[in-house]
């Protein structure tokens, strides 16, 4: 079996978005060089270049069920649908404002333009719905896997979840203190994750609504603005990329940081997960796309074992109290009260 390439010099300028498709064998990229690239994700060979936009292509999206087409969004104020095999442009739709993101899923096209979200027919580009409600620029939009909900994020520091049929707001999430840059649904639509310029990723249980009383899970492991987030298809991993040049991989069972992926030399603009959970792709201002195999360690990985930077709960084996810990809990842990009541115990005794 051929070994998969791990890094691609895809564009001369910043790579703004990327997506693995066709069972992780193909990769699409979009760039400030005004083009999209279609790549063999195993060999790194460039299969085609899609040209036609007049400004930076900020977003690209392939419907997992229709992998013969790719949607692109650009600062030239247009979205375009392309035939991947022939390279032909199938249609173009223009706006009066910049396109900040686009999503093509469940045979639905959704774009974010200015302060609104636009819903289009993917076959004809016909505008079906316009959803408005943000007070500042919408930065990103995402569709749930069942195609019934849209999430939009904005510079107004909120994320909103919309019912695509009723065109009504279902949820308004106000946990961030700066621009919300990206959002993603888990495949079963149980969870929603958001990333922000406030350096955090926030995880919401939208199925049960428990965040309303307990707040979202807040992951604070980036040292700069977080630009993107993505769930693995099985929901066990949440991946984020940021302006600190890092790609972080969290385990959703305990909300802990499992891997830090280092290697980019510029801001990480976008991250995506493959159909197989072990594959992650990230693209950067450095013009590179990196494909990471999370099941095999390399020198570019930092694996977090005891450095458990999420918040977990442990039960004191002496008094039975639950208490918060920032490392992997063990059965012999003691709460602070029991440790203080027996100060003669050594550090090794408490491990």
């Amino acid at each position: 079996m051929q070994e998969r390439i791990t890094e691609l010099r895809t564009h001369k300028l910043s790579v703004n978005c990327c997506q693995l498709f066709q069972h992780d064998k193909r990769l699409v990229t979009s760039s400030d060089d005004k083009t999209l690239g279609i790549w063999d994700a195993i060999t790194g060979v460039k299969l085609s270049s899609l040209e036609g936009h007049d400004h930076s292509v900020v977003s690209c999206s392939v419907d997992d069920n229709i992998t013969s087409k790719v949607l692109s969004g650009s600062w030239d104020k247009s979205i375009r649908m392309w035939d991947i095999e022939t390279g032909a442009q199938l249609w173009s739709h223009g706006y009066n404002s910049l396109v900040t993101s686009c999503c093509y899923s469940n045979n639905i096209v959704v774009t974010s333009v200015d302060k609104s979200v636009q819903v289009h027919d993917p076959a004809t580009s016909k505008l079906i719905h316009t959803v408005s409600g943000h007070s500042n620029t919408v930065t990103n939009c995402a569709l749930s896997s069942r195609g019934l909900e849209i999430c939009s994020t904005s510079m107004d520091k909120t994320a909103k979840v919309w019912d695509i049929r009723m065109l009504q707001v279902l949820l308004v999430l106000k946990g961030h203190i700066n621009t919300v840059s990206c959002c993603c649904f888990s495949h079963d639509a149980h969870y929603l994750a958001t990333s922000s310029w406030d350096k955090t990723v926030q995880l919401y249980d939208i199925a049960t609504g428990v965040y309303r009383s307990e707040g979202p899970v807040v992951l604070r492991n980036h040292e700069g603005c977080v630009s993107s987030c993505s769930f693995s298809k099985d929901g066990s991993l949440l991946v984020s990329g940021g302006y600190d040049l890092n790609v972080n991989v969290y385990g959703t069972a305990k909300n802990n940081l499992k891997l830090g992926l280092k290697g980019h030399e510029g801001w990480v603009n976008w991250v995506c997960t493959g159909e197989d959970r072990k594959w992650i792709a990230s693209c950067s201002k450095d013009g590179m796309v990196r494909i990471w195999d999370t099941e095999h360690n390399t020198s570019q990985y930092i694996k977090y074992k005891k450095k458990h930077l999420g918040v977990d709960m442990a039960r004191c084996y002496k008094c039975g109290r639950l208490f918060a810990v920032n490392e992997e809990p063990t059965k012999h842990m003691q709460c602070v009260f029991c440790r203080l009541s027996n100060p003669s115990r050594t550090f090794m005794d408490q491990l």
Side-chain angles (χ1 to χ4, degrees):
M1 182 176 179
Q2 185 173 6
E3 184 176 353
R4 182 185 288 266
I5 193 169
T6 58
E7 59 181 44
L8 295 81
R9 173 66 66 179
T10 54
H11 297 270
K12 293 181 180 179
L13 300 178
S14 174
V15 187
N16 300 314
C17 191
C18 61
Q19 183 181 339
L20 291 163
F21 65 102
Q22 288 187 6
H23 308 296
D24 304 333
K25 296 178 181 178
R26 295 288 183 269
L27 175 77
V28 59
T29 56
S30 63
S31 171
D32 277 355
D33 66 11
K34 308 177 188 179
T35 71
L36 292 94
I38 308 296
W39 310 81
D40 185 313
I42 297 175
T43 66
V45 172
K46 189 173 187 177
L47 303 177
S48 63
S49 179
L50 307 180
E51 302 178 4
H53 281 292
D54 299 322
H55 209 305
S56 299
V57 187
V58 294
S59 188
C60 56
S61 183
V62 176
D63 189 329
D64 289 336
N65 301 312
I66 310 170
T67 57
S68 60
K69 300 177 184 179
V70 59
L71 177 72
S72 60
S74 169
W75 281 359
D76 66 8
K77 304 179 182 179
S78 75
I79 56 171
R80 305 183 188 217
M81 187 71 79
W82 309 81
D83 185 304
I84 290 176
E85 297 304 320
T86 66
Q89 182 179 294
L90 302 177
W91 54 254
S92 176
H93 185 94
Y95 301 98
N96 294 323
S97 300
L98 300 179
V99 176
T100 54
S101 73
C102 63
C103 180
Y104 180 28
S105 180
N106 290 287
N107 206 27
I108 302 170
V109 165
V110 179
T111 64
S112 55
V113 182
D114 196 16
K115 300 175 185 178
S116 69
V117 175
Q118 314 275 336
V119 182
H120 293 264
D121 182 329
T124 66
S125 81
K126 180 181 177 181
L127 180 63
I128 301 172
H129 302 301
T130 297
V131 181
S132 301
H134 284 286
S135 61
N136 207 331
T137 303
V138 178
T139 55
N140 184 249
C141 57
L143 273 162
S144 68
S145 61
R146 50 195 185 186
L148 301 179
E149 300 89 9
I150 300 171
C151 183
S152 57
T153 59
S154 171
M155 295 184 76
D156 66 11
K157 307 176 188 177
T158 71
K160 296 188 177 185
V161 179
W162 311 78
D163 185 309
I164 200 170
R165 298 160 299 179
M166 303 297 292
L167 300 180
Q168 293 179 341
V169 177
L170 301 175
L171 302 172
V172 179
L173 308 174
K174 299 181 178 181
H176 290 289
I177 59 173
N178 205 331
T179 293
V180 188
S181 56
C182 189
C183 56
C184 59
F185 290 95
S186 61
H187 190 70
D188 60 4
H190 193 109
Y191 295 97
L192 176 74
T194 57
S195 61
S196 170
W197 291 0
D198 66 10
K199 306 180 184 180
T200 72
V201 178
Q202 299 192 1
L203 182 61
Y204 296 85
D205 184 334
I206 57 175
T208 66
V210 67
Y211 69 89
R212 290 187 174 94
S213 59
E214 300 181 5
V217 174
V218 182
L219 305 170
R220 306 177 185 277
N221 305 106
H222 282 282
E223 296 177 359
C225 299
V226 189
S227 55
S228 178
C229 55
S230 177
F231 280 103
S232 62
K233 195 167 185 179
D234 66 0
S236 64
L237 300 177
L238 175 61
V239 183
S240 63
Y243 291 177
D244 58 2
L245 318 187
N246 294 336
V247 176
N248 289 340
V249 183
Y250 302 92
T252 55
K254 296 182 178 179
N255 301 317
N256 61 315
L257 183 61
K258 298 176 75 70
L259 289 173
L261 309 180
K262 297 180 179 291
H264 282 294
E265 297 177 355
W267 295 348
V268 178
N269 292 323
W270 195 258
V271 293
C272 70
T273 52
E275 182 176 321
D276 184 333
R277 59 162 265 170
K278 75 176 183 177
W279 298 118
I280 294 170
S282 58
C283 60
S284 168
K285 200 173 181 66
D286 63 12
M288 298 291 292
V289 173
R290 293 183 178 272
I291 299 177
W292 311 88
D293 180 352
T294 60
E295 291 185 359
H296 295 87
N297 203 359
T298 74
S299 60
Q300 294 173 321
Y301 291 64
I302 298 176
K303 188 165 185 178
Y304 293 88
K305 293 182 179 178
K306 288 192 175 180
K307 191 177 181 182
H308 183 289
L309 297 178
V311 175
D312 213 330
M313 300 299 293
R315 186 177 296 278
C316 177
Y317 85 95
K318 191 171 183 180
C319 71
R321 285 190 185 96
L322 285 172
F323 60 100
V325 294
N326 63 354
E327 59 184 294
E328 295 285 355
T330 67
K331 63 182 180 180
H332 295 300
M333 281 185 163
Q334 289 190 54
C335 68
V336 64
F337 303 103
C338 292
R339 290 203 305 272
L340 290 173
S341 67
N342 189 10
S344 62
R345 284 172 55 84
T346 67
F347 173 76
M348 290 303 294
D349 289 334
Q350 297 178 47
L351 293 180

